[in-house]
C-alpha cells in the first residue's frame, strides 16, 4: 500500500492505495465518485476522462499514485454549485446524450478543448473529441452541444 | 388552467440533469455494503474438451471467498425462447458454466469470488485448466459441409434450423422474367458495443428469502421470469432492477450465463456479489449481430419491373442460441424481403448454422437491416445493369394505392406513401443538384457517389398472437399503470424500459396531454419489477407504439372515471360531462365544473361519491396491438472515394423518415442520428473477425472500429409522417430505422462513385483496404 494525497473537486483526500490502483478506480471505489465511467480496457473510449492539474487525462490509463499531490476535477466537480457548466447545459439543450454513459468523459474532454480553443470550428470540435466514443448519438448533437457551450462561454466572457 | 399540448413538442429531457452531473446510477455505481466481486475465468479455446480443473491454489489465495467450477453448480441452461415452426429446429443445450467441453472462446469455466476485483483476477490466474483442443469451425458455409467439426451430438451438419417462407408463384415469376440478377452478399458480423458493458449485482437476504438483482438490461421482468423458471426461485421473491442502463442495442435483452451465476452465487454464499464485464469480455461474451451469407436471385423485366426474388441465407448463429436468436434471421428478416415494392413472388430459405463463435442475436434492427441491405443493394445492381436511374427503378416498383397492403410475405403493411416519401426526399435533399455536382467533380478527377435506400421495417413489436405463431415463447403486449395521488400528482408505471430513449420525458408528455395535468406533475417509473406490474421491455422500436398506448389508454380510463365522479358532484349525467384543460364541466354550462384536483381528492375521500364506483384514482392497461407498425423512409448518402487509397469519406447523410406521428422531435431526431451512425459503422468500418482457430481478432476497441466522431458525417433529418392505424396515437417507431436504412445507402453511394471502374459490388465493410483491392482487381 502507498499513501497518496489527492485534491478532488477542491477537497483533499489522503488514502492508502495499492500501487497498481488506477485513478478511475480510486475515484470510483475509494471516493465513491461514480460519475467517471469505465467503458473499455484499452484506453479507447474516453468515458473515464477527468482533469488532472487542469489537463484532461484518461483516468483508466493513469495510476492513482501518479495523481499524488495533484488536483483532479471530475464531472461531479464541473458545475458551480447548482449552476451547470455551459457544456452541461449544451448537452442538455442539444440532446447531446442518450444513455449518458459516455457523457461525463465527453464533457470533460470538451471542457479541455474549449479551454485551449474557445472558438472551435465543427471540424476542430470533432478532432478534439476523437478520443471519446459514443454509441448512441452519432455525435451530431454532441458537436451542436459543444458549439452551444462555446457560444455561451464567449458571450459570458464578452459581457 | 390551460394545459399546453405536449404531443409534438421538442422538450429537452428530464433524464439529463442527473446524467450530465455524474449522478446517474448504473449498476456498477450502486453502493452495496459488503459486496464481493466475481471474476469469471473464460476459455481461451474455441473448441476443446476440459480434461481437468485445479482450483486449489486459487482457493488458498488471500481474500478469496470461494471458487466455483461446473462441478459445484447445477446445470442451469441459458435459455432460447423461440422454437421456429416447421423448421426442424434443434436447440443446442448450453449451460451457464462449462463442465466438460467448451465451444467458443469466452465460455465460462470457473468463477472466483473475492473481496475485490484485483484479488479475484490474481486468484483466477492460479486456476489450472487442462484443455484437449478440438477442431474448430467459424464460417457458416464451411460448418454445414460434410466432414466439418460437429459442435453437438444430434445436430447434424451443425444445422440448428432450416426455415422457409414463400409467397406468389415463384417459378412462373422467374419463367416470365427477362433478366435475373444473381449476387452473393455478405452481411458481416457486428459487435453491439453498448458503452456500458454488462454488469450484474445480487444481494440475497437469508432471513426473508428475498433476492435483489441489479442488472443492466432492457427488460427486467423477462429476466426475472426466466431466472425464476430456470432456478426455481419464486417470482415474488426475486426483484430485478434495471437502473440507468448505458445502451443496449439488443445485446441486453437476453438472459446470459452471468445473471444466472450471480443469482446462484449470491444465494449460495448469502453475500452480496457483483460482476462487471470488461470491454474485452464484452467482445467475447456479449451477443453479436448479423453474420449472413446470402445467395440472391432477383428477376426483372427489361423495363425494370420486378418479377420475383429468391434468397438463400446462411445465418451464423454462433455456438448456442440466446433468447430471440432464431427469430432474427427468419421472421424478422424474410418477412421484410419485399420491402416497399410490389413484389409478385418470393422464396426465402434461412439455414441457421452453429459455429465456434459467440452467439448471434438481435442487434439494432435485428433481421430488418439484413433484409433492407440485401434488397436495396441488389436493386442498385439491377438499376446499373438495366441502365435505369436508381430512383426510377424504385419508383416503378413501389407499392401504390390503398392501405393496409398485404405484401407477398404475409405482412400487412399498415400505412405508407413510398413514392411521396421518395419524391419529397429527392426534392428536399437536392438529388438532381447532387448529380450535377457529381459530374462536375468527376471532370476534376474526384469520385463522388450518391446512394439511395428506401427502407421499410416492421416494428411496434408486436401482436402476441403473431409472436406465438412465429414460435416465440412470450406475448409482446405492454402494460401501463397510472396512479394519480390524492394531491393530483401522477406516477405512471411502464413495462417499457429506457436505456437512452428518454421515456421519462416522452411518456410524461403523452400523459400530460391525455390526463390534462401539467407535464411537471407526471413522474415515470420503469425498470423495477417490484414497482412495475409486468412488462416486456424495450426493443423492436416498440416502446411508444405499445407501451405508450397502454399508458394512453389508462389515462383515458381515468378521464372516464373522473367524468362519473364529476357528474355525481354536479348532479348531472356522466354522458353530459366533458373534460378539457383540467376541468370537468357540464356540456353547455362551463360554469358548472369541477377541477381535476377536486375530482381526484373526492375519489380518495369518497364522502360524496357514486354508489357504484370504486374509490381511488388509478388505472391499468395491458395493451396488445393487432398489427405491427411499418415505418418507412428514404435515405440518401453522399460519399467521396479516393481512388488512390480506397478511402471512403461520408460527406452528407439525408434522412426522410415516416415514423408515424412524432411525439418529441428532438428525441426522434436523436434516434435517427444514432441509428444512422450504427448503419454507417457497418457500411464502412465495423467487422467482427474470428480466425480459423476461433480467436476473435477484432476483440478490442483497438481492433474493432466503433466509429469515431471524425469518421461520421453530419446528418439532415426530416419527418414525413403517415399516421399508423395500429394505435390511437398514429405512431410507428424510430429506434431502429436509421440502422435499417442507412447501410445500403452508403454502400450504394460507394458503388455509384466507382461506377466508371467496372466494379459491380464490394462486400461490407467498405474499408480502404477492401475498396482499394476492388479497384486494383478491376484494373
Amino acid at each position: 500500500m502507498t499513501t497518496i494525497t489527492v485534491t478532488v473537486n477542491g477537497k483533499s483526500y489522503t488514502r492508502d492505495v495499492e500501487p497498481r490502483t488506477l485513478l478511475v478506480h480510486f475515484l470510483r471505489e475509494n471516493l465513491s465518485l461514480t460519475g467517471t465511467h469505465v467503458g473499455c480496457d484499452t484506453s479507447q473510449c474516453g468515458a473515464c476522462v477527468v482533469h488532472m492539474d487542469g489537463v484532461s487525462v484518461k483516468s483508466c490509463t493513469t495510476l492513482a499514485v501518479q495523481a499524488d499531490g495533484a488536483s483532479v476535477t471530475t464531472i461531479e466537480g464541473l458545475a458551480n454549485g447548482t449552476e451547470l457548466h455551459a457544456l452541461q447545459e449544451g448537452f442538455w439543450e442539444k440532446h447531446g446524450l442518450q444513455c449518458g454513459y459516455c457523457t461525463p468523459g465527453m464533457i470533460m474532454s470538451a471542457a479541455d478543448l474549449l479551454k485551449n480553443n474557445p472558438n472551435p470550428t465543427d471540424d476542430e470540435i470533432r478532432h478534439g473529441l476523437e478520443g471519446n466514443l459514443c454509441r448512441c448519438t452519432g455525435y451530431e448533437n454532441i458537436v451542436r452541444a459543444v458549439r452551444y457551450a462555446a457560444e455561451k462561454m464567449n458571450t459570458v466572457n464578452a459581457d | 388552467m390551460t394545459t399546453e399540448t405536449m404531443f409534438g413538442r421538442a422538450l429537452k429531457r428530464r433524464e439529463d440533469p442527473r446524467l450530465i452531473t455524474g449522478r446517474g446510477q448504473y449498476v456498477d455505481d450502486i453502493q452495496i455494503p459488503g459486496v464481493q466481486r466475481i471474476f469469471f475465468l473464460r476459455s481461451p479455446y474455441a473448441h476443446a474438451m476440459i480434461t481437468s480443473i485445479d482450483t486449489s491454489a486459487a482457493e488458498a489465495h488471500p481474500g478469496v471467498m470461494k471458487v466455483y467450477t461446473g462441478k459445484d453448480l447445477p446445470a442451469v441452461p441459458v435459455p432460447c425462447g423461440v422454437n421456429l415452426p416447421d423448421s426442424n429446429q434443434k436447440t443446442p443445450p448450453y449451460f451457464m458454466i462449462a463442465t466438460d467441453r467448451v465451444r467458443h472462446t469466452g465460455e465460462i469455466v470457473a468463477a472466483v469470488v473475492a473481496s475485490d476485483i484485483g484479488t479475484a483476477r490474481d486468484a483466477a490466474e492460479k486456476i489450472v485448466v487442462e484443455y484437449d483442443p478440438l477442431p474448430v469451425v467459424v464460417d457458416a458455409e464451411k460448418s454445414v459441409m460434410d466432414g466439418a467439426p460437429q459442435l453437438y451430438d444430434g445436430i447434424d451438419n451443425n444445422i440448428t434450423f432450416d426455415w422457409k417462407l414463400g409467397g406468389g408463384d415463384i417459378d412462373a415469376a422467374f419463367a416470365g422474367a427477362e433478366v435475373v440478377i444473381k449476387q452473393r452478399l455478405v452481411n458481416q458480423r457486428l459487435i453491439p458495443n453498448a458503452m456500458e458493458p454488462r454488469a450484474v449485482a445480487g444481494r440475497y437476504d437469508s432471513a426473508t428469502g428475498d433476492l435483489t438483482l441489479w442488472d443492466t438490461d432492457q427488460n427486467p421482468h423477462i429476466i426475472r421470469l426466466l431466472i425464476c423458471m430456470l432456478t426455481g426461485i419464486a417470482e415474488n421473491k426475486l426483484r430485478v432492477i434495471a437502473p440507468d442502463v448505458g445502451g443496449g442495442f439488443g445485446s441486453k435483452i437476453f438472459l446470459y450465463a452471468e445473471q444466472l451465476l450471480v443469482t446462484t452465487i449470491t444465494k449460495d454464499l448469502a453475500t452480496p456479489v457483483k460482476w462487471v464485464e470488461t470491454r474485452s469480455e464484452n467482445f467475447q461474451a456479449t451477443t453479436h449481430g448479423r453474420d449472413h451469407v446470402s445467395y440472391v436471385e432477383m428477376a426483372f423485366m427489361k423495363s425494370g419491373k420486378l418479377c420475383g426474388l429468391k434468397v438463400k441465407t446462411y445465418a451464423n448463429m454462433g455456438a448456442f442460441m440466446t433468447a430471440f436468436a432464431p427469430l432474427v434471421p427468419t421472421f424478422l428478416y424474410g418477412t421484410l424481403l419485399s420491402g416497399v415494392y410490389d413484389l409478385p413472388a418470393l422464396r426465402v430459405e434461412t439455414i441457421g448454422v452453429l459455429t465456434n463463435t459467440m452467439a448471434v442475436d438481435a442487434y439494432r434492427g435485428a433481421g430488418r437491416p439484413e433484409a433492407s441491405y440485401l434488397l436495396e443493394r441488389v436493386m442498385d445492381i439491377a438499376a446499373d445493369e438495366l441502365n435505369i436511374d436508381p430512383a426510377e427503378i424504385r419508383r416503378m416498383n413501389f407499392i401504390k394505392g390503398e392501405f393496409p397492403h398485404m405484401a407477398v410475405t404475409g405482412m400487412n403493411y399498415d400505412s405508407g406513401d413510398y413514392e411521396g416519401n421518395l419524391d419529397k426526399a429527392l426534392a428536399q435533399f437536392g438529388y438532381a443538384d447532387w448529380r450535377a455536382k457529381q459530374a462536375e467533380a468527376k471532370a476534376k478527377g474526384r469520385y463522388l457517389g450518391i446512394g439511395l435506400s428506401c427502407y421499410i421495417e416492421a416494428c411496434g413489436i408486436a401482436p402476441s398472437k403473431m409472436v406465438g405463431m412465429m414460435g416465440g415463447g412470450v406475448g409482446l403486449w405492454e402494460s401501463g399503470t397510472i396512479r394519480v395521488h390524492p394531491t393530483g400528482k401522477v406516477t405512471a408505471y411502464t413495462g417499457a424500459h429506457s436505456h437512452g430513449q428518454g421515456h421519462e420525458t416522452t411518456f410524461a408528455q403523452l400523459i400530460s396531454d391525455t390526463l390534462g395535468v401539467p407535464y411537471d406533475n407526471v413522474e415515470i417509473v420503469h425498470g423495477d419489477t417490484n414497482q412495475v406490474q409486468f412488462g416486456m421491455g424495450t426493443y423492436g422500436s416498440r416502446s411508444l407504439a405499445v407501451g405508450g398506448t397502454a399508458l394512453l389508454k389508462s389515462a383515458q380510463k381515468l378521464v372516464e372515471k373522473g367524468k362519473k365522479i364529476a357528474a355525481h358532484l354536479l348532479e348531472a349525467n356522466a354522458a353530459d360531462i366533458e373534460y378539457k384543460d383540467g376541468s370537468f364541466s357540464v356540456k353547455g354550462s362551463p360554469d358548472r365544473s369541477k377541477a381535476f384536483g377536486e375530482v381526484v381528492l373526492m375519489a380518495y375521500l369518497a364522502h360524496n361519491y357514486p354508489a357504484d364506483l370504486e374509490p381511488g384514482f388509478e388505472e391499468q392497461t395491458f395493451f396488445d396491438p393487432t398489427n405491427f407498425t411499418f415505418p418507412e423512409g428514404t435515405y440518401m448518402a453522399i460519399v467521396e472515394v479516393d481512388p488512390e487509397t480506397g478511402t471512403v469519406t461520408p460527406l452528407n447523410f439525408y434522412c426522410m423518415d415516416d415514423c408515424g406521428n412524432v411525439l418529441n422531435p428532438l428525441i426522434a431526431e436523436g434516434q435517427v442520428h444514432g441509428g444512422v451512425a450504427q448503419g454507417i459503422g457497418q457500411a464502412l468500418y465495423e467487422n467482427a473477425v474470428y480466425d480459423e482457430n476461433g480467436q476473435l481478432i477484432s476483440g478490442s476497441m483497438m481492433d474493432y472500429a466503433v466509429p469515431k466522431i471524425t469518421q461520421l458525417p453530419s446528418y439532415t433529418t426530416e419527418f414525413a409522417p403517415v399516421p399508423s392505424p395500429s394505435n390511437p396515437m398514429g405512431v410507428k417507431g424510430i429506434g431502429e430505422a436509421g440502422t435499417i436504412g442507412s447501410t445500403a445507402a452508403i454502400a450504394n453511394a460507394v458503388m455509384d462513385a466507382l461506377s466508371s471502374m467496372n466494379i459491380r459490388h464490394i462486400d461490407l465493410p467498405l474499408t480502404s483496404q477492401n475498396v482499394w483491392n476492388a479497384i486494383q482487381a478491376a484494373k
Side-chain angles (χ1 to χ4, degrees):
Chain A
M1 289 287 184
T2 306
T3 303
I4 60 170
T5 299
V6 188
T7 301
V8 180
N9 301 330
K11 193 174 166 191
S12 177
Y13 298 89
T14 299
R15 294 283 189 279
D16 291 335
V17 297
E18 279 189 75
R20 66 179 176 177
T21 303
L22 298 171
L23 178 57
V24 67
H25 292 138
F26 174 74
L27 294 168
R28 291 181 54 83
E29 296 181 12
N30 296 57
L31 306 185
S32 298
L33 289 169
T34 55
T36 303
H37 298 149
V38 180
C40 73
D41 45 13
T42 49
S43 203
Q44 251 78 42
C45 82
C48 65
V49 169
V50 299
H51 294 179
M52 193 160 92
D53 290 332
V55 177
S56 64
V57 295
K58 287 184 171 170
S59 62
C60 75
T61 319
T62 307
L63 293 166
V65 293
Q66 289 176 282
D68 188 18
S71 177
V72 171
T73 305
T74 70
I75 188 71
E76 289 95 337
L78 194 63
N80 182 10
T82 56
E83 189 193 334
L84 293 177
H85 186 279
L87 274 162
Q88 291 170 315
E89 193 183 307
F91 273 72
W92 191 11
E93 289 290 334
K94 297 295 174 189
H95 191 29
L97 62 150
Q98 291 180 26
C99 83
Y101 197 79
C102 76
T103 311
M106 197 68 81
I107 289 177
M108 296 311 285
S109 288
D112 196 23
L113 163 70
L114 292 184
K115 201 173 83 179
N116 295 313
N117 181 0
N119 277 304
T121 63
D122 285 3
D123 275 352
E124 287 168 344
I125 293 171
R126 288 180 183 267
H127 182 72
L129 296 177
E130 200 177 20
N132 292 73
L133 294 175
C134 169
R135 195 59 156 163
C136 293
T137 65
Y139 302 109
E140 175 76 20
N141 286 347
I142 290 175
V143 175
R144 292 179 192 172
V146 177
R147 207 192 296 145
Y148 173 100
E151 285 166 13
K152 168 147 189 178
M153 288 161 79
N154 289 334
T155 311
V156 171
N157 291 341
D159 284 346
Chain B
M1 179 191 66
T2 303
T3 314
E4 254 183 293
T5 301
M6 288 286 153
F7 200 103
R9 286 188 60 192
L11 289 195
K12 59 183 183 180
R13 303 194 318 170
R14 55 165 59 161
E15 287 87 342
D16 292 0
R18 68 176 186 268
L19 302 175
I20 55 181
T21 55
R23 284 179 293 195
Q25 287 284 288
Y26 303 87
V27 170
D28 192 28
D29 301 339
I30 291 164
Q31 308 287 310
I32 305 168
V35 72
Q36 302 288 300
R37 297 293 299 266
I38 297 179
F39 180 81
F40 292 120
L41 185 68
R42 297 174 184 274
S43 170
Y45 288 97
H47 201 185
M49 299 304 293
I50 300 171
T51 54
S52 69
I53 305 180
D54 181 356
T55 60
S56 53
E59 283 168 85
H61 190 85
V64 169
M65 194 166 185
K66 189 153 179 175
V67 179
Y68 294 91
T69 67
K71 290 198 182 80
D72 309 314
L73 292 164
V76 181
V78 174
C80 173
V82 178
N83 193 2
L84 296 170
D86 307 320
S87 69
N88 200 23
Q89 181 177 325
K90 297 187 187 84
T91 305
Y94 182 89
F95 299 95
M96 64 180 182
I97 186 164
T99 48
D100 57 346
R101 183 171 172 180
V102 291
R103 292 179 175 85
H104 65 98
T105 54
E107 190 166 346
I108 296 170
V109 294
V112 180
V113 187
S115 54
D116 64 89
I117 191 63
T119 303
R121 279 171 170 270
D122 291 344
E125 287 193 11
K126 295 182 175 175
I127 299 174
V128 181
V129 187
E130 285 185 19
Y131 295 95
D132 191 0
L134 295 167
V136 170
V137 62
V138 299
D139 177 287
E141 288 186 284
K142 288 180 184 161
S143 189
V144 298
M145 287 178 182
D146 289 333
Q150 299 293 294
L151 268 72
Y152 295 91
D153 293 339
I155 305 184
D156 297 339
N157 293 74
N158 300 312
I159 295 175
T160 173
F161 59 81
D162 185 350
W163 178 88
K164 297 182 182 77
L165 178 77
D169 188 340
I170 192 74
D171 294 329
F174 272 72
E178 292 173 330
V179 180
V180 175
I181 307 289
K182 294 185 182 178
Q183 184 64 48
R184 178 182 186 268
L185 284 179
V186 175
N187 198 298
Q188 83 272 33
R189 181 180 285 237
L190 303 175
I191 299 180
N193 271 303
M195 288 310 299
E196 181 205 21
R198 286 186 296 138
V200 197
R203 184 176 61 200
Y204 178 67
D205 183 333
S206 56
T208 63
D210 291 330
L211 202 158
T212 303
L213 210 62
W214 292 268
D215 182 43
T216 177
D217 67 56
Q218 303 176 215
N219 47 342
H221 288 87
I222 301 297
I223 297 298
R224 181 183 66 170
L225 174 63
L226 290 171
I227 291 174
C228 291
M229 287 170 73
L230 294 164
T231 63
I233 293 172
E235 217 172 341
N236 53 11
K237 285 291 181 189
L238 178 61
R239 176 182 188 182
V240 179
I241 301 170
D244 284 324
V245 169
F249 313 116
S251 71
K252 293 178 182 172
I253 299 171
F254 323 114
L255 179 65
Y256 289 87
E258 290 87 352
Q259 290 130 311
L260 289 163
L261 283 161
V262 167
T263 305
T264 307
I265 290 170
T266 189
K267 196 172 175 193
D268 183 59
L269 297 176
T271 298
V273 296
K274 177 164 80 172
W275 168 73
V276 179
E277 188 180 58
T278 63
R279 180 60 57 187
S280 299
E281 283 180 294
N282 181 273
F283 272 97
Q284 287 190 16
T286 293
T287 51
H288 296 175
R290 319 270 194 266
D291 206 342
H292 288 191
V293 176
S294 294
Y295 292 85
V296 185
E297 292 180 45
M298 205 188 265
F300 289 89
M301 301 307 284
K302 282 179 183 161
S303 64
K305 190 76 191 139
L306 190 48
C307 302
L309 175 63
K310 293 181 194 172
V311 178
K312 182 172 187 177
T313 294
Y314 292 90
N316 191 335
M317 305 305 294
F320 63 107
M321 295 204 289
T322 42
F324 281 176
L327 271 187
V328 176
T330 56
F331 284 104
L332 293 177
Y333 165 69
T335 56
L336 273 305
L337 277 172
S338 63
V340 288
Y341 305 115
D342 188 12
L343 178 70
L346 167 76
R347 186 164 73 205
V348 52
E349 177 179 12
T350 303
I351 299 170
V353 185
L354 299 171
T355 61
N356 296 113
T357 62
M358 181 54 198
V360 175
D361 204 317
Y363 167 56
R364 199 168 192 168
R368 291 152 290 166
E370 295 90 312
S372 180
Y373 172 72
L374 182 151
L375 194 57
E376 290 302 288
R377 185 75 269 284
V378 180
M379 282 301 271
D380 256 41
I381 295 173
D384 191 37
E385 291 211 2
L386 298 169
N387 205 17
I388 303 173
D389 185 275
E392 294 316 307
I393 197 169
R394 288 176 168 82
R395 183 192 310 284
M396 190 186 307
N397 287 294
F398 280 144
I399 293 162
K400 299 180 183 96
E402 294 296 300
F403 283 86
H405 172 88
M406 184 61 79
V408 69
T409 53
M411 281 293 203
N412 197 20
Y413 294 177
D414 59 346
S415 73
D417 177 11
Y418 310 131
E419 188 172 17
N421 188 291
L422 175 72
D423 284 342
K424 220 175 265 182
L426 297 181
Q428 289 286 98
F429 305 148
Y431 182 66
D433 293 346
W434 274 113
R435 285 286 175 215
K437 282 182 205 162
Q438 181 182 34
E440 279 170 37
K442 191 66 191 296
K444 293 176 191 157
R446 288 176 59 197
Y447 290 78
L448 292 193
I450 303 162
L452 289 174
S453 160
C454 296
Y455 76 87
I456 192 167
E457 60 149 326
C459 71
I461 288 175
S464 299
K465 188 177 172 185
M466 281 169 79
V467 175
M469 284 162 58
M470 295 172 181
V474 289
L476 283 178
W477 44 264
E478 195 49 88
S479 76
T481 297
I482 301 180
R483 178 176 302 159
V484 184
H485 304 284
T487 55
K489 304 288 188 204
V490 179
T491 307
Y493 303 84
T494 175
H497 181 271
S498 179
H499 30 281
Q501 293 86 345
H503 299 159
E504 293 167 35
T505 302
T506 51
F507 287 178
Q509 283 180 264
L510 78 89
I511 290 170
S512 165
D513 274 353
T514 311
L515 212 48
V517 298
Y519 166 78
D520 288 334
N521 285 1
V522 185
E523 286 289 319
I524 305 297
V525 173
H526 64 99
D528 181 351
T529 61
N530 267 23
Q531 293 196 71
V532 177
Q533 51 288 345
F534 201 88
M536 294 302 171
T538 286
Y539 37 83
S541 305
R542 65 191 303 274
S543 294
L544 183 56
V546 192
T549 301
L551 287 169
L552 178 85
K553 285 179 175 284
S554 289
Q556 288 169 338
K557 289 178 190 173
L558 285 167
V559 169
E560 289 311 306
K561 182 168 187 174
K563 284 181 181 175
K564 289 178 189 166
I565 299 167
H568 178 84
L569 295 173
L570 296 166
E571 296 180 344
N573 194 322
D576 294 331
I577 302 291
E578 58 185 9
Y579 183 60
K580 203 180 168 208
D581 296 337
S583 175
F584 294 92
S585 61
V586 180
K587 279 177 199 162
S589 315
D591 52 322
R592 290 178 66 201
S593 68
K594 287 286 170 193
F596 179 78
E598 292 177 90
V599 167
V600 171
L601 187 60
M602 189 50 70
Y604 283 97
L605 293 173
H607 295 167
N608 180 10
Y609 204 70
D612 56 350
L613 202 62
E614 285 179 23
F617 215 65
E618 174 169 333
E619 291 288 353
Q620 185 168 77
T621 303
F622 289 76
F623 175 67
D624 198 355
T626 54
N627 195 1
F628 299 94
T629 60
F630 293 88
E632 43 111 2
T634 303
Y635 287 168
M636 185 169 99
I638 313 293
V639 304
E640 177 162 5
V641 182
D642 182 339
E644 300 301 318
T645 64
T647 301
V648 178
T649 305
L651 300 177
N652 293 77
F653 201 94
Y654 298 101
C655 312
M656 183 66 74
D657 288 285
D658 162 21
C659 60
N661 291 328
V662 178
L663 173 55
N664 183 323
L666 186 69
I667 287 177
E669 187 188 41
Q671 289 293 313
V672 176
H673 289 175
V676 167
Q678 290 182 4
I680 297 176
Q682 168 160 31
L684 296 181
Y685 310 115
E686 300 179 38
N687 196 11
V689 182
Y690 284 94
D691 72 7
E692 59 190 13
N693 298 315
Q695 295 298 320
L696 184 60
I697 300 300
S698 56
S700 81
M701 283 177 168
M702 283 190 288
D703 309 296
Y704 183 91
V706 174
K708 293 182 183 187
I709 191 167
T710 46
Q711 294 178 305
L712 293 170
S714 260
Y715 324 104
T716 302
T717 53
E718 292 196 26
F719 295 105
V722 181
S724 168
S726 303
N727 58 74
M729 287 180 285
V731 299
K732 288 183 176 173
I734 194 63
E736 297 157 298
T739 311
I740 291 166
S742 59
T743 304
I746 293 279
N748 288 342
V750 173
M751 299 318 146
D752 183 54
L754 302 177
S755 60
S756 61
M757 295 188 188
N758 196 27
I759 293 172
R760 169 186 158 117
H761 174 75
I762 309 170
D763 274 322
L764 305 175
L766 301 170
T767 57
S768 308
Q769 184 182 8
N770 288 344
V771 173
W772 187 85
N773 282 337
I775 292 171
Q776 300 315 308
K779 275 183 181 169

